[in-house]
Amino acid sequence: MTNIGVSITGSGSAIPKVSLDNQQLSQIVDTSDEWIGSRTGIRKRQLANPTESLCSLATQASLAALGQTNITAKDIDLIILATSTPDDLFGTASQIQSELDAKQAVAFDMTAACSGFVFGLVTAAQFIRNGVYQNILLIGADILSRWVDWEDRTTCVLFGDGAGAVILQASGRDRLLGFELRSDGSQNNCLNLSYQPQEKKIIDGVAVSKGTYQPITMNGKEVYRFAVQKVPEVIEKALFRANISVEEIDWLLLHQANQRILDAVASRLNIPSEKVISNLRNYGNTSAASIPLALDEAVRQGQVSSGDIIAASGFGAGLTWGAVIFEWSSI
Ligand code: UT7
């Protein structure tokens, strides 16, 4: 009988080499290490230089994830790239497929901003549960520095670049225990990276526009309020579906947006700080990459081990938010 349980068997990550600390940022905009540190917990972030691509970071992370498993790129059936910052708007997943020489794999991008990894994990799991695919590479990667307004101190201090990847494999036991995904487009204007027409042309009586995407805009306070209220709720819902109590969680793995959000969510759920995975101090908010990047560090540092129960939650633009409860299962 076909294995239709989901196991997450490997993780990998990649970050650009160049780092920019708060002190350096304070030379660019009117801010300080004290303000950024106390309001967000971020001390530095890694930034992709113009020669680095999303494809190269994602490929590096993918190879590292494959290295933790018993499969090679040739065994991958599906590649999902969760990103809001593809190298090519037509999609970057196929380029990664080519770089990896994953000939059998079908590859596509998906966008759910900072919830992208959690949405991607749930999407990928469905292909295993219905028996269609056995080995899936899921990548969360973003280069938000391409779209940050470096003159806007309310946003430019928050973001960094990176990539994280996991391998999902079909197994006899289903270790993806429960999930809940949510969207609320009525609050879409809280966080945007929107296309704006700059030129209008009339072609044979038909009006078309040519423009580009505009730098990130955010209503920080609204997004903060939303996250602190909705993330605990969605985690509780996912735990309910998994039939697991909060006490049974070994690790709380949130989108790394702000240490104050991590602390507030943990406190609302009565989860002690020792169980909260946090690495945003070194990377800032890396959007779709933040959860797999933090997971991979925790795995490689020996914090997270086989059998640990992880409650992961992503939240952000859309607005979108979601939680997934899974058991880590390195081979
Ligand atoms: O991945 C998507 C999810 N995004 C998020 O989760 C972001 C959620 N929001 C937040 O994390 C927080 O709202 C921020 C970190 C963005 C801002 O923190 P805050 O405590 O909400 O600050 P604020 O926006 O209320 O600003 C307080 C003050 C303002 O000055 P006034 O009006 O009180 O004089 C800001 O102009 O801090 C000022 N300010 C800054 N000062 C120094 C805003 N940004 C900065 C800055 N440096 N970088």
Side-chain angles (χ1 to χ4, degrees), residues 66-118:
L66 278 169
Q68 282 190 352
T69 70
N70 57 7
I71 61 163
T72 69
K74 306 252 181 310
D75 302 310
I76 301 172
D77 303 305
L78 168 66
I79 299 171
I80 299 179
L81 169 66
T83 189
S84 306
T85 54
D87 294 329
D88 182 333
L89 270 185
F90 286 152
T92 296
S94 298
Q95 284 173 263
I96 298 166
Q97 181 238 21
S98 167
E99 287 295 317
L100 292 171
D101 201 21
K103 286 201 169 61
Q104 299 306 317
V106 60
F108 63 83
D109 292 21
M110 62 171 277
T111 301
C114 302
S115 308
F117 181 79
V118 167

Side-chain angles (χ1 to χ4, degrees), residues 169-241:
Q169 291 188 259
S171 73
R173 215 175 106 218
D174 200 353
R175 294 181 173 84
L176 197 139
L177 308 170
F179 69 85
E180 176 77 7
L181 306 179
R182 310 283 303 172
S183 298
D184 179 5
S186 72
Q187 292 201 74
N188 179 263
N189 61 359
C190 287
L191 185 45
N192 301 96
L193 200 177
S194 314
Y195 172 80
Q196 270 178 22
Q198 261 138 17
E199 248 178 73
K200 280 198 184 122
K201 275 192 178 165
I202 309 289
I203 301 168
D204 201 19
V206 178
V208 293
S209 75
K210 191 173 159 214
T212 184
Y213 290 85
Q214 298 302 303
I216 296 166
T217 56
M218 180 174 73
N219 181 336
K221 271 205 185 319
E222 274 306 315
V223 177
Y224 187 95
R225 247 194 300 269
F226 141 78
V228 168
Q229 187 198 344
K230 298 293 187 187
V231 172
E233 280 176 21
V234 84
I235 292 174
E236 277 172 343
K237 201 67 180 274
L239 284 169
F240 174 77
R241 295 198 192 287

Side-chain angles (χ1 to χ4, degrees), residues 29-46:
V29 285
D30 181 15
T31 190
S32 64
D33 180 46
E34 203 284 318
W35 192 96
I36 304 170
S38 61
R39 299 285 177 132
T40 71
I42 300 164
R43 295 289 171 191
K44 66 183 182 77
R45 67 287 295 142
Q46 306 294 123

